């Protein structure tokens, strides 16, 4: 991921969220945890980000076994170890607003920068940054994932395109034929194609650029995060609090099932496949970390910090589930309980 940003959480609204409090400037720094860092099955741990009001958002497992995340309002990339030690790496440009992040096939971290001129960034595990400017002048790149072809694939919300960048920095863009699709998150499907969320649709694109789109049964539900589940299906969140509040499942053949949350106004955002055979997601407004089985049974756990606004989610080493907290200014972790 992981990941994740929505039709409901537009680029403009993210900028507004980030502007609630100004981010303090800091170079590489280390942070302490809210709670003891010893792992405990089922318990949520939270680790503070050193830069205040940094707005942690996207998160992914890095090639070094640590979790890497974007600091949207601080223009930094963060790294947290399994013990909770946080290090921050400033980006070269102010107001770059990093959002999505993924581990690349080249052993580096790749991330999106949504502020004009939009760019795709690459960071080595030691913190060296290279940035590549998008061909589209206002693409608003959001989600990003490593593709099955050895390239990086990403969404362009405003430009209404799916983008591809090689590890050497060569771009190709695939325009979506219908306007205002606003693609957001993206993942590799079980069939080797790229699957992504759109405004009221789930899209599928082959590595050659062939597109298929599937309308979500609940209109205006705000499809957001998306991931491939352990059952070989696509799982996604439906963010919109008026028509969403659901977790969706889509087979590669195009058959949908939707599972409503207990609190329909909780606004699920990010989603990731867990190593326990379930799907894990966060609820931005409900302030929960949720788990759904492949048969649709949902359980939720409240995050200790109130109103933390969890956003991105990813699975880390030993099956621990990690997530970002925009307003909590922290990264959280929960170790799934063993079955039974």
């Amino acid at each position: 991921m992981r990941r994740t940003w929505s039709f409901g959480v537009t680029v403009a609204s993210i900028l507004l969220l980030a502007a609630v409090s100004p981010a303090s400037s800091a170079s590489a720094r280390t942070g302490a945890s809210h709670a003891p860092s010893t792992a405990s099955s089922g318990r949520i741990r939270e680790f503070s980000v050193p830069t205040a009001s940094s707005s942690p958002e996207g998160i992914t497992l890095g090639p070094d076994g640590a979790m890497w995340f974007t600091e949207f309002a601080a223009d930094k990339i963060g790294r947290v170890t399994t013990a909770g030690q946080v290090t921050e790496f400033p980006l070269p440009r102010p107001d770059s607003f990093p959002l999505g992040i993924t581990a690349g096939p080249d052993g580096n971290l790749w991330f999106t920068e949504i502020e004009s001129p939009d760019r795709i960034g690459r960071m080595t595990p030691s913190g060296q940054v290279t940035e590549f400017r998008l061909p589209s002048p206002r693409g608003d790149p959001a989600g990003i994932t490593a593709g099955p072809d050895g390239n990086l694939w990403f969404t362009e919300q405003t430009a209404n395109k799916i983008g591809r960048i090689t590890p050497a920095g060569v771009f190709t863009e695939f325009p979506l034929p219908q306007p205002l699709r606003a693609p957001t998150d993206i993942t590799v499907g079980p069939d080797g194609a790229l699957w992504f969320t759109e405004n009221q649709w789930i899209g599928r694109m082959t590595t050659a650029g062939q597109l298929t789109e599937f309308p979500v049964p609940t209109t205006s539900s705000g499809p957001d995060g998306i991931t491939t589940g352990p059952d070989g299906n696509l799982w996604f969140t439906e963010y919109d609090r008026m028509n969403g509040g659901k977790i969706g499942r889509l087979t590669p053949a195009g058959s949908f099932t939707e599972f409503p949350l207990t609190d329909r106004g909780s606004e699920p955002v990010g989603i990731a496949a867990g190593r326990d055979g379930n799907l894990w997601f966060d609820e931005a407004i409900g302030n929960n970390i949720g788990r759904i089985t492949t048969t649709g049974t949902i359980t939720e756990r409240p995050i200790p910090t109130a109103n933390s606004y969890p956003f991105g989610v990813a699975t880390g080493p030993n099956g621990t589930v990690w997530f970002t907290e925009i307003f909590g200014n922290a990264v959280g972790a929960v170790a799934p309980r063993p079955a039974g």
Side-chain angles (χ1 to χ4, degrees), residues 5-7 9-11 99-100 111-120 132-145 152-165 170-187 194-199 205 213:
W5 22 90
S6 81
F7 175 67
V9 182
T10 60
V11 169
L99 186 54
F111 53 94
T112 56
E113 301 179 29
I114 71 168
E115 187 56 28
S116 182
D118 306 329
R119 299 171 190 256
I120 301 298
F132 304 94
R133 186 168 178 173
L134 262 66
S136 296
R138 186 65 190 182
D140 285 333
I144 187 168
T145 191
L152 289 305
W153 289 76
F154 57 93
T155 59
E156 297 184 50
Q157 289 183 314
T158 302
N160 206 50
K161 299 175 181 178
I162 300 299
R164 181 182 67 198
I165 182 173
V170 178
F171 284 100
T172 306
E173 294 178 302
F174 301 90
L176 301 179
Q178 299 299 321
L180 303 177
R181 285 296 198 237
T184 51
D185 198 13
I186 188 168
T187 192
L194 288 307
W195 291 75
F196 51 94
T197 50
E198 302 177 297
N199 175 17
M205 181 173 285
E213 294 175 301

Side-chain angles (χ1 to χ4, degrees), residues 1-6 14 57-59 99-100 143 185 224-226 237 269-272 282 311-313:
M1 86 182 347
R2 271 251 238 99
R3 328 338 184 186
T4 61
W5 22 90
S6 81
I14 290 173
E57 304 211 358
I59 188 167
L99 186 54
D185 198 13
D224 193 332
I226 189 168
T237 57
V269 184
I271 189 167
D282 47 24
F311 200 74
V313 62

Side-chain angles (χ1 to χ4, degrees), residues 1 59-66 68 77 100-112 120-125 132 144-153 165-168 188:
M1 86 182 347
I59 188 167
T60 192
L61 174 62
D64 55 353
W68 291 74
I77 302 298
I101 189 168
T102 192
D106 56 352
N108 297 313
L109 288 308
W110 289 77
F111 53 94
T112 56
I120 301 298
R122 182 183 66 200
M123 177 176 283
T124 68
F132 304 94
I144 187 168
T145 191
D149 57 351
N151 299 312
L152 289 305
W153 289 76
I165 182 173
T166 69
V188 177

